[in-house]
Amino acid sequence: MSNTEIEPLLDSAAPGYDTVHDPSYDSPPDALHSGFQNKLPEAPSHRKALNWSSAYILVISRVIGSGVFATPGSIVKSAGSIGLTLLLWLVGTILAACGMAVSMEFGCMLPRSGGDKYAYRRPKFLASTLIAVQAVLLGFTASNSIIFAKYTLFAFNIEPTEYQHKALAVGLLTLITIVHGCFLKTGIWIQNILGWVKIFLIMAMSLTGIWVILLRPYDESMSESDRVVTNNPLAWDTLWEGSNWSWSLISTSIFKIFYSYAGLNNVNNVLNEVKDPIKTVKTVCPAGLLTAGALYFLANISYFLVVPLDEIKNSGELVAGLLFERLFGAHVGRVLFPLAIAISAAGNVMVVTFALVWTPGSLFEYP
C-alpha cells in the first residue's frame, strides 16, 4: 500500500499535531505512515461500488431518519420556548460537528471499512469486540423501523395494536435484509432514490414555513383548531417566553438532538467500497452536516410558524403529520405526507443495514 493511501485530516507537520499510534512506535510522522502500512489490510481489488453521490446519500439518509419528525415535540415540551429550543438545536449541531471531526480524522488516517479499530491494536480483539457490541446493541435503527410503522398506520387512519407496530417494523427489516443480501446494485439504487426523496421532503416541509409567512393562509370559514398560526411566534418579546432552564431537561434534549445527527461517520463503515475514500470523507461528511443542519433548523421554524406551540408540545412523534394536515387538509396532510415520512424512515433503515453488513467482516478479519 502506498503512502498516498493514508492522509491525515490535519497536516502532520503542523505544531501540536499528535495522532493515535502504537505506544511502542516512537518515530517521526512520516515513519508513522509507513508503520500504518503494515497494520492496515490491503485495499480491496474488486471494483468499488460507491461514488461521491452514493456516499453522500449514505450519510444524509443515515442522519435524517426519524429525528426531525419524531423528537421536536418532546424537545419543545422540555425547553418550554421557541428561543431555547432553537438554541439547543444550535448547541447540538456544534457538538455533532466536533464528533464528526474525530470520525473524519480516523477515516483519513485509516481508509478501510471499520478502520477506527486499527488505531487500537493492543490488547488484541478489544477494540473489535467493543465496536461489535456497540454495533449489535446500539447501532441498529430499531427506532426508525417503529417510526415507519407508526406513520404508515397513521396515514391509513388505522388504530394499531402494539403487535401490529412490531410486526410491520420486523417486516420492513426482513425485506431490506433480503434486498441488500441478494441484490446489491438494486439495493444501492433504491436507497439513493429514497435519499433524494427524503431531501425533497424536508425541503418541502421547510418551504411551508416561508409559504405561511408570505401568503398567510387564513379562511374565516375554518374552525379555530384548523387555522395556522397567524401571529409571529418568532418575535423577540415572545421568543423566550416560558423557557425551562432545568439542566436535566436541557441535557436530555441535547442528547436527543445529538442523536438526530447520528450517522455522519456512516461512510467510514464502507470505505472499502468507496472510490477515492480520503477525498470523499473530507467532503461528504461536512456536506452532510451542513445539509442536515440547515434542513433541521428550517423544518423546526416551519413547525413553529404553522402549528401552535401547545399542540407541538403534545404532539409526541406525530408533529410532522400535524404540520401537513393543518396546511393541506385531511387528504394530503393525513395520508400522503405521513406516508412519505414513513418512506423516509425506511430509507434510513436501508443505509444503516447496508453499512452494518460490512462491519462484522472488517472487525474480525484482523485483530
Side-chain angles (χ1 to χ4, degrees), residues 55 58-59 62-63 96 99-104 106-107 114 116 134 261-271 281 284-285 355:
L58 198 67
V59 171
R62 176 64 180 90
V63 173
M100 180 195 69
V102 176
S103 298
M104 289 174 63
F106 275 126
D116 297 26
Q134 186 273 337
Y261 285 99
L264 289 171
N265 64 336
N266 200 36
V267 70
N268 289 29
N269 296 323
V270 294
L271 285 179
V281 167
V284 160
C285 296

Side-chain angles (χ1 to χ4, degrees), residues 8 10-21 25 27 29 32 105 109:
L10 302 176
D11 184 3
S12 60
Y17 178 80
D18 183 23
T19 189
V20 179
H21 63 283
Y25 196 87
S27 301
L32 179 61
E105 179 70 11
M109 286 292 294

Side-chain angles (χ1 to χ4, degrees), residues 146-204:
I146 298 297
I147 291 298
F148 168 81
K150 285 187 176 182
Y151 270 96
T152 299
L153 297 172
F154 177 79
F156 292 102
N157 200 23
I158 298 175
E159 293 293 336
T161 63
E162 184 178 356
Y163 173 79
Q164 289 174 319
H165 272 151
K166 293 180 179 179
L168 188 56
V170 171
L172 173 68
L173 291 175
T174 303
L175 178 61
I176 290 176
T177 301
I178 293 173
V179 170
H180 278 320
C182 302
F183 311 99
L184 176 61
K185 292 184 178 180
T186 302
I188 294 175
W189 180 81
I190 292 175
Q191 70 186 22
N192 285 347
I193 295 297
L194 292 178
W196 289 113
V197 169
K198 183 181 301 188
I199 293 174
F200 172 79
L201 173 65
I202 306 295
M203 289 181 63

Side-chain angles (χ1 to χ4, degrees), residues 30-345:
D30 291 339
L32 179 61
H33 284 191
S34 63
F36 273 122
Q37 293 181 22
N38 299 324
K39 294 184 177 185
L40 291 179
E42 291 298 324
S45 58
H46 62 271
R47 183 179 180 182
K48 298 184 177 183
L50 299 177
N51 55 22
W52 192 95
S53 178
S54 296
Y56 172 76
I57 291 299
L58 198 67
V59 171
I60 201 67
S61 290
R62 176 64 180 90
V63 173
I64 303 179
S66 62
V68 71
F69 305 129
T71 60
S74 62
I75 294 173
V76 173
K77 185 175 182 179
S78 298
S81 69
I82 296 175
L84 182 56
T85 299
L86 295 178
L87 179 62
L88 292 178
W89 275 96
L90 177 61
V91 172
T93 302
I94 294 173
L95 292 177
C98 295
M100 180 195 69
V102 176
S103 298
M104 289 174 63
E105 179 70 11
F106 275 126
C108 293
M109 286 292 294
L110 311 168
R112 295 292 179 268
S113 296
D116 297 26
K117 70 148 189 169
Y118 297 113
Y120 307 98
R121 305 289 292 183
R122 297 291 184 272
K124 286 187 176 182
F125 292 113
L126 174 62
S128 297
T129 302
L130 292 176
I131 296 175
V133 170
Q134 186 273 337
V136 172
L137 297 182
L138 304 175
F140 210 70
T141 181
S143 60
N144 283 292
S145 301
I146 298 297
I147 291 298
F148 168 81
K150 285 187 176 182
Y151 270 96
T152 299
L153 297 172
F154 177 79
F156 292 102
N157 200 23
I158 298 175
E159 293 293 336
T161 63
E162 184 178 356
Y163 173 79
Q164 289 174 319
H165 272 151
K166 293 180 179 179
L168 188 56
V170 171
L172 173 68
L173 291 175
T174 303
L175 178 61
I176 290 176
T177 301
I178 293 173
V179 170
H180 278 320
C182 302
F183 311 99
L184 176 61
K185 292 184 178 180
T186 302
I188 294 175
W189 180 81
I190 292 175
Q191 70 186 22
N192 285 347
I193 295 297
L194 292 178
W196 289 113
V197 169
K198 183 181 301 188
I199 293 174
F200 172 79
L201 173 65
I202 306 295
M203 289 181 63
M205 293 175 58
S206 304
L207 291 176
T208 54
I210 300 176
W211 183 70
V212 168
I213 293 175
L214 296 179
L215 300 182
R216 294 291 184 187
Y218 190 90
D219 189 344
E220 293 294 339
S221 64
M222 297 173 63
S223 65
E224 186 68 26
S225 61
D226 291 333
R227 292 172 182 168
V228 299
V229 178
T230 56
N231 60 323
N232 183 10
L234 302 180
W236 184 260
D237 55 343
T238 60
L239 193 64
W240 304 93
E241 183 178 326
S243 297
N244 187 350
W245 295 95
S246 169
W247 284 109
S248 61
L249 295 178
I250 288 176
S251 59
T252 302
S253 298
I254 291 178
F255 179 81
K256 292 178 180 179
I257 294 170
F258 186 78
Y259 181 76
S260 297
Y261 285 99
L264 289 171
N265 64 336
N266 200 36
V267 70
N268 289 29
N269 296 323
V270 294
L271 285 179
N272 283 356
E273 300 300 313
V274 176
K275 301 175 182 178
D276 196 356
I278 294 177
K279 182 179 179 181
T280 300
V281 167
K282 288 184 176 182
T283 54
V284 160
C285 296
L289 176 67
L290 292 176
T291 303
L295 293 178
Y296 280 172
F297 275 96
L298 290 175
N300 274 277
I301 291 174
S302 295
Y303 292 147
F304 295 137
L305 291 173
V306 176
V307 183
L309 189 61
D310 290 337
E311 291 190 24
I312 296 177
K313 293 179 180 179
N314 298 322
S315 63
E317 296 179 342
L318 297 177
V319 60
L322 294 177
L323 170 71
F324 288 107
E325 184 177 357
R326 182 171 286 271
L327 281 178
F328 302 110
H331 180 68
V332 176
R334 189 178 178 85
V335 179
L336 294 184
F337 280 98
L339 194 59
I341 293 170
I343 295 173
S344 174

Side-chain angles (χ1 to χ4, degrees), residues 342-358:
I343 295 173
S344 174
N348 178 273
V349 178
M350 284 202 72
V351 298
V352 173
T353 304
F354 179 83
L356 288 180
V357 165
W358 300 98

